[in-house]
Amino acid sequence: MDMNRQEWKEKAAEMSGVPKDVAMGLPILTITGTDELCVENYRGITEYTDQIVRLQTRCGQIKIGGRKLEVIYYTNDEMMIHGHIRTIEYQT
Amino acid sequence: MFEQFIWYLKGYVRIRVSGYSPERFLNACRYKNIYIWDLKRVCGAYEMNLSVSGFHRLKEIIRKTGTKVCIIRRSGLPFLFHRYRKRHILFPGFILCICLILFMTRYIWGIDIRGNLSYTDDTLKKFLASEQIKNGMKKTNVDCQKIVRDLRRTYDGIIWVSASIDGCRLVIQIKENEDGLADNSTISRINNQSTDIIADTDCTITSITTRTGIAQVKKGVQVKKGDLLVSGQIPICNDAKEITGYSPCRSDADISGETCIPYQKMLSKNYFEKEYYKSRYHFIQKKEYAIRAGRYMIRIGSVKNTYPYFEKHIFQWQFRPLNIFPLTFEEITVTPYRKRQKNYTKTQIRKILSGDFQNYCKEMKKKGVEIIQNDVKIYTGSETYSAKGTLKIRCSVGKQVPSTPLPSDYIAEDDTKNGD
């Protein structure tokens, strides 16, 4: 049922031309070099150390791996992560 | 940077959140729209910055998440004011300081003169003081255009002046005429007039190249001081070759001539040598230190002494805190000595007199004078030695003077020929 609803939403978004992040609430990750990552449309932090930041989003979890990771700011809309980013992993 | 400054003005706290699953605390803060920044993981807990208003809304979140929150640091202006609220002098002092700065910056506290070579700072500052431009005057009373005008009018050697106010200083930039050979004051005075060139010394003309004007002498002619060399009155002829009038111009020519000048330098046989008083290890010296601020001076030590002869050296360092208040540190050293009479040996005399003569020749060369011949010799007297002789030199001659109109029937021989 959930799958059907998800597919239906995806098709509706494609047909109407509305961006998927607006229609489906998909996360947006903007990475600048390897030092700065800006995440939008996330639900919350599930784990945070200086080597791993795990975020909960609508399409599953995103695991950001690296060294000296640091959350510069954390608001309802977006969060900024600084540090040496090595991996970004999607875990559904 | 700007954001940090704003947060400092508003005030913020740094807290540490610990307990079971502090991530829930973070997500709850996000849900309540509490802005968090500089979030760090420290020893199993989280440290973060929060605004003061955000901190006041944490109570419910702490209760729900079961975490423990402790304040690590309070930063910002509101906390600073609160901390020093009982220091009654601090804030009035701070306001008084700002008022004093605002008041003091309405005045000129220093005059900087740049680019001057031949006119010293003291000369120019004395002139400015006579024009009521001095330290301690109001900025609004400074008329830069008038300063520029007055300086240009008074000093002919200054060809460009700029006056501007930079903070509490009056900056005067000067460009002097670097062509020091010419008599600048005379030139500027007669710049728009017709001029003649006259001989400034007795000599024999060795070359004359005229650019403007009519040459009145030839190569090889002996002239006396004040003789006319180049006339600035150019004759105007009619069709019958008769002179109807003169057209004045500013004469210009390169003229060189040969002349003889005497040279004499006397030196006494005996001289006084300074013998400094010496203690066991070093010379006897007295020192005094002083700090000068405008008319006021603070002295440390004294150089008063009873010695008949002494050398006095004063070293000054100017120091300007914040480029506003001029402070001068002085170190005065007095070294006493006794005079001891001694006689020069012949070798020493020869060395000194010939050295002086060589320096004199070098100075002449710098001025563009060529020494063709010299017969300077050292003569020995009973009490003195002297270097005497005559130097035959070749130098540029002529100086510009305002032109005197010639009588209508006067014309130089050469020019009549040229005109024919």
Side-chain angles (χ1 to χ4, degrees), chain B residues 76-95:
Chain B
L77 218 53
F79 295 111
L80 193 80
F81 283 142
H82 187 260
R83 197 178 305 151
Y84 295 118
R85 67 190 180 279
K86 285 184 182 171
R87 299 193 178 185
H88 303 297
I89 300 293
L90 184 69
F91 295 108
F94 182 68
I95 292 162

Side-chain angles (χ1 to χ4, degrees), chain B residues 294-343:
Chain B
R295 287 179 297 169
Y296 303 101
M297 198 177 198
I298 300 166
R299 291 171 185 276
I300 302 160
S302 172
V303 288
K304 279 184 185 172
N305 62 79
T306 53
Y307 293 100
Y309 304 106
F310 55 82
E311 280 179 8
K312 190 174 185 180
H313 297 270
I314 301 174
F315 296 98
Q316 284 191 335
W317 295 278
Q318 206 168 48
F319 174 65
R320 284 183 174 171
L322 301 172
N323 264 343
I324 296 174
F325 304 107
L327 281 179
T328 310
F329 295 101
E330 282 185 5
E331 185 193 335
I332 304 161
T333 313
V334 162
T335 316
Y337 64 89
R338 63 170 77 89
K339 285 180 175 180
R340 176 165 287 185
Q341 197 169 1
K342 280 194 170 182
N343 288 334

Side-chain angles (χ1 to χ4, degrees), chain B residues 38 72 112 144 319 338:
Chain B
D38 211 4
I72 299 170
D112 272 7
C144 292
F319 174 65
R338 63 170 77 89

Side-chain angles (χ1 to χ4, degrees), chain B residues 126-138:
Chain B
K126 270 181 193 165
F127 167 73
L128 291 171
S130 70
E131 298 287 321
Q132 303 303 320
I133 309 291
K134 48 193 169 186
N135 289 339
M137 71 179 295
K138 268 191 173 182

